[in-house]
Amino acid sequence: MSQTLSLPLIGLEETFPEDVYVLHHPASDRYGCFCHEGIHGLACFSSERGAFRFAEWIDLSGMMTRKITFDEAREVAKARPLPVVSLMLLDSLQNPQIHYVR
């Protein structure tokens, strides 16, 4: 007889917001990305302020924040070249929420 173990699943209570802010450079169509522990992802934020703070780390003038839906952000992340494989909610740089897109 098989048994089902009742174990808590870590991280299921964490969800991405419906709308996120990303950094976009319209002239080159580049987006702000981040690498955490070897995983590359499109950087997104739940607030515009968080995106602005992250933009200070990017050495590319003309970066703009864009408010887009979570689904739009997934599509942008999928369209980025490798090694980008995820969408990262970076409200906490030390503990990002990672959503894999490929």
Side-chain angles (χ1 to χ4, degrees):
M1 188 178 252
S2 65
Q3 277 185 315
T4 303
L5 297 177
S6 176
L7 297 174
L9 295 174
I10 298 170
L12 284 184
E13 68 282 350
E14 297 173 1
T15 60
F16 277 69
E18 287 185 32
D19 295 313
V20 294
Y21 291 88
V22 295
L23 292 169
H24 183 233
H25 187 257
S28 65
D29 200 32
R30 289 182 168 179
Y31 285 83
C33 293
F34 187 70
C35 182
H36 177 74
E37 296 182 359
I39 301 166
H40 294 262
L42 174 69
C44 71
F45 305 85
S46 60
S47 73
E48 190 172 30
R49 190 180 96 190
F52 278 132
R53 284 196 321 254
F54 186 73
E56 294 173 358
W57 292 25
I58 298 175
D59 188 25
L60 183 62
S61 63
M63 294 295 283
M64 301 172 58
T65 61
R66 285 184 55 201
K67 182 179 181 180
I68 58 177
T69 67
F70 170 76
D71 288 335
E72 290 169 325
R74 287 185 76 242
E75 293 305 314
V76 169
K78 286 180 187 179
R80 298 299 91 204
L82 290 174
V84 174
V85 296
S86 68
L87 175 63
M88 289 189 179
L89 184 64
L90 295 177
D91 291 343
S92 168
L93 288 176
Q94 292 74 31
N95 188 27
Q97 291 182 43
I98 300 173
H99 174 81
Y100 290 92
V101 296
R102 57 174 148 194

